[in-house]
Amino acid sequence: MVDRNERRREVCEALDLSFIRVKALLALQAGLLTLGELAAALSIDRPYTTLTVHELERRGLAERTVHPDDRRSKLVELTASGRTAARLADDMLNRPPAALVALDPADLATLERITAYLAGESADPTA
């Protein structure tokens, strides 16, 4: 129903970032992550994670610091600009499509019941 690829393209264009970098911003919204944790969250290898973080740093969206308990490990966190960009990406990716917003409330309620049923959250699509 929602063209996720189109929405992803819009976010990438708005932030002038690849989608993996957008995903990194979203993953870092929760707080500090080591490079290894970020790599796992993004399902990419560590060298590519390092390149991704380097680009975010270059743009002033993230910063790396030395882990206080393990000097060999680096922590990554968003800057204020990075948090703003992550919120924008999150809002854009989760914004309902115009056709859905325009639905009559009764039709929207019917759609919610059907999707709950399809997701296994309801035993009866008419309830």
Side-chain angles (χ1 to χ4, degrees):
M1 182 168 167
V2 177
D3 185 357
R4 291 212 36 97
N5 289 330
E6 180 65 21
R7 190 64 54 89
R8 287 178 179 183
R9 185 187 59 73
E10 289 174 10
V11 170
C12 292
E13 286 179 2
L15 296 177
D16 192 28
L17 293 171
S18 68
F19 195 66
I20 196 67
R21 289 176 175 95
V22 171
K23 284 177 59 175
L25 290 175
L26 296 172
L28 290 165
Q29 275 186 302
L32 289 168
L33 293 175
T34 65
L35 284 171
E37 291 167 337
L38 183 58
L42 299 176
S43 298
I44 59 176
D45 62 24
R46 285 183 178 209
Y48 191 46
T49 304
T50 299
L51 291 172
T52 299
V53 170
H54 177 74
E55 181 61 19
L56 294 177
E57 282 183 308
R58 189 182 74 73
R59 293 174 180 243
L61 300 172
E63 58 188 10
R64 275 183 275 204
T65 57
V66 175
H67 193 292
D69 300 328
D70 180 1
R71 296 193 53 76
R72 296 169 297 162
S73 183
K74 302 286 188 226
L75 293 171
V76 184
E77 68 180 322
L78 295 178
T79 62
S81 295
R83 287 188 295 278
T84 299
R87 279 192 302 275
L88 174 64
D90 201 31
D91 290 347
M92 289 179 77
L93 289 169
N94 291 305
R95 182 182 65 235
L100 191 60
V101 173
L103 281 177
D104 177 86
D107 290 338
L108 187 56
T110 300
L111 180 60
E112 285 180 40
R113 283 193 310 275
I114 293 169
T115 54
Y117 172 75
L118 292 173
E121 298 168 2
S122 169
D124 182 3
T126 62

